[in-house]
Amino acid sequence: MKAYFYDNLPGDQRLPHDSGRPVDVDTLAKLGVLYYHFPDVSGVDELASQRGYRNRDEITVSPEKMGAVYEEKVKTFFDEHLHEDEEIRYIRGGQGYFDVRSKDDDWVRVQLEKDDLLILPAGIYHRFTTDESNYVHAMRLFKDEPKWTPLSRKPELDENEHRRGYVKGFLG
């Protein structure tokens, strides 16, 4: 895992966009973003048990697996959004970037690779993209039935109870 402020320069979203300003794990934790490294799935199983994640699935994001919809899907994942549930991803192969908003509303880019696990709290604005390899294989964990409902950022979303809870708990 490597985390840093996004450079906001034009160019393909799959490029590193590394500003040269690193962000450490403690700073991520203050945003509610939790990072773990599990070289074995047993660590994921233990965390799932501790946090009450009862369901999981796996997804491969690549042109080979997704075909013609790949580019459209990657653009959809990169649209700034939040979820009303935690988002948990364990990287089984490949690499990808999760971008999360800092306390000052700047983007922090988190580069994940094999054996990295990231937990994003409900209500945090974020986005995702593959890197230039165009390949990531991830396990998704869920507390209830698997669902992935993105709510795109817009002013009225600030009144969403999950967004308000996030702001109060981590940004307030």
Side-chain angles (χ1 to χ4, degrees), residues 25-38:
V25 173
D26 291 335
T27 301
L28 288 176
K30 289 176 185 169
L31 296 172
V33 176
L34 304 177
Y35 167 75
Y36 299 88
H37 183 83
F38 294 120

Side-chain angles (χ1 to χ4, degrees), residues 38-49 56 90:
F38 294 120
D40 187 273
V41 173
S42 64
V44 176
D45 294 341
E46 185 176 325
L47 181 73
S49 177
R56 62 182 73 182
Y90 175 57

Side-chain angles (χ1 to χ4, degrees), residues 43-63:
V44 176
D45 294 341
E46 185 176 325
L47 181 73
S49 177
Q50 291 169 359
R51 294 184 69 93
Y53 304 143
R54 294 189 304 257
N55 293 299
R56 62 182 73 182
D57 68 9
E58 295 196 19
I59 183 171
T60 299
V61 180
S62 73

Side-chain angles (χ1 to χ4, degrees), residues 47-106:
L47 181 73
S49 177
Q50 291 169 359
R51 294 184 69 93
Y53 304 143
R54 294 189 304 257
N55 293 299
R56 62 182 73 182
D57 68 9
E58 295 196 19
I59 183 171
T60 299
V61 180
S62 73
E64 292 75 27
K65 287 286 186 181
M66 301 176 94
V69 301
Y70 171 76
E71 289 294 334
E72 179 184 324
K73 280 292 188 188
V74 169
K75 286 179 182 157
T76 299
F77 297 154
F78 201 64
D79 179 53
E80 183 174 4
H81 62 279
L82 64 79
H83 300 286
E84 294 182 337
D85 298 303
E86 286 184 336
E87 182 163 343
I88 308 97
R89 299 293 181 266
Y90 175 57
I91 307 302
R92 307 290 310 257
Q95 290 190 151
Y97 299 113
F98 274 94
D99 296 339
V100 297
R101 288 291 188 178
S102 72
K103 287 188 181 217
D104 296 323
D105 212 33
D106 294 320

Side-chain angles (χ1 to χ4, degrees), residues 62-168:
S62 73
E64 292 75 27
K65 287 286 186 181
M66 301 176 94
V69 301
Y70 171 76
E71 289 294 334
E72 179 184 324
K73 280 292 188 188
V74 169
K75 286 179 182 157
T76 299
F77 297 154
F78 201 64
D79 179 53
E80 183 174 4
H81 62 279
L82 64 79
H83 300 286
E84 294 182 337
D85 298 303
E86 286 184 336
E87 182 163 343
I88 308 97
R89 299 293 181 266
Y90 175 57
I91 307 302
R92 307 290 310 257
Q95 290 190 151
Y97 299 113
F98 274 94
D99 296 339
V100 297
R101 288 291 188 178
S102 72
K103 287 188 181 217
D104 296 323
D105 212 33
D106 294 320
W107 284 117
V108 173
R109 176 155 275 195
V110 183
Q111 178 183 352
L112 298 176
E113 56 189 28
K114 186 177 183 327
D115 300 333
D116 289 338
L117 184 141
L118 198 69
I119 301 174
L120 303 181
I124 190 173
Y125 285 120
H126 65 283
R127 61 191 185 188
F128 172 79
T129 188
T130 58
D131 68 359
E132 292 175 279
S133 72
N134 292 311
Y135 176 83
V136 67
H137 175 202
M139 178 187 291
R140 304 183 298 184
L141 292 93
F142 306 92
K143 289 191 176 186
D144 295 309
E145 289 302 311
K147 65 179 180 178
W148 188 83
T149 307
L151 302 174
S152 294
R153 187 171 186 173
K154 53 189 172 186
E156 54 269 24
L157 198 52
D158 289 339
E159 297 307 314
N160 175 286
E161 67 177 296
H162 300 281
R163 177 64 185 168
R164 285 196 327 258
Y166 174 75
V167 169
K168 183 179 179 184

